[in-house]
Amino acid sequence: MNEALAFEPYNFEDGLKERLKDRYPQSELFFHDVEKNNGVKLRALTIKKTDCNISPTIYIDEYSRHYEETHDMDEICQQISEMYEKYGNVEFDIDSVVNFERVKTKICAKLINREKNMSLLKYVPYREFLDLAVVYFISVEGIGNASVLIRDGLVDRWGVTEEELYSCAMQNTPLLFPENILPMSEVLKDMLSVEAMPEEAFAVIEDTIYVATNQSKIFGAAVLLYPRFLEHEAEALGRNFYIIPSSVHEVLIIPAEKIEQDADELLEMVKEVNTTQVSDEEVLSDNVYYYDREKNEVKALF
């Protein structure tokens, strides 16, 4: 009999907790829900050591689905243990967060969908940008792409305003997350082999679509906020352009003269891509934006 099937009387979380207790007998294990971007809720596991002041959040929805398919709890426990061992022993200086003078050079900004995050925005400082919201986070070094979302309680403790957060973020974000703009052809070459897509196909889109993000490719849509970013892009292109919100991590820039569809068709394309190709958590907007270089103005078309 497959040993993994011996756990059938348990639900997944009970079985997982029993197995992990054997590996981490001196730690507290608990499950909880985490609300992510756009109201997406994920189930999470925390393994908290008594002598450690930070514990990684391990999302378990994929593991749960894998268990339903394989009933292999040993494999799942091994994968979770490897992840925990990688990030669970990192020491974190709490004072570096609660002390504004120490943390202010790490405060950055990201763009999220305003309408889909109304419940979150009740508890975090933010400002409106088009139909989006600018929110702030602390970039944490040494723990992968870890970050701490800045909430009202922390701001109250610091005694600072949203304007001060924005000023810090506009200084820090371009430095910590430098912009990265490439023709779509270059991006596709990284993803596909020339055999999969003929070289002439790359040439066709060389001067048509540009991908704007940051070098980390995390929350890269925030490059739209960088000082003079839009102006510089208009100068480089020599024309007005559309901005297509690909995800919270990147946007597409398309010179206006290269667009054959009308705005309504563009909007339908964005909605379809968001529905079929982008995860719910990473959707930025179902809108289309337009930058007028003479007016130095960006606007939402819908």
Side-chain angles (χ1 to χ4, degrees), residues 4 7 12 15-16 19 67 71-78:
F7 272 86
F12 170 69
L16 180 61
R19 287 293 183 92
Y67 178 72
H71 300 282
D72 193 340
M73 190 67 79
D74 288 334
E75 178 191 0
I76 292 169
C77 286
Q78 182 60 34

Side-chain angles (χ1 to χ4, degrees), residues 1 14 105 119 122 153 176 187 208 223 225 264 267 279 282 298:
M1 177 179 177
D14 289 342
T105 58
S119 61
K122 295 176 182 177
L176 298 177
V187 176
T208 302
V223 296
L225 304 171
D264 289 326
L267 181 67
S279 69
E282 296 185 342
V298 60

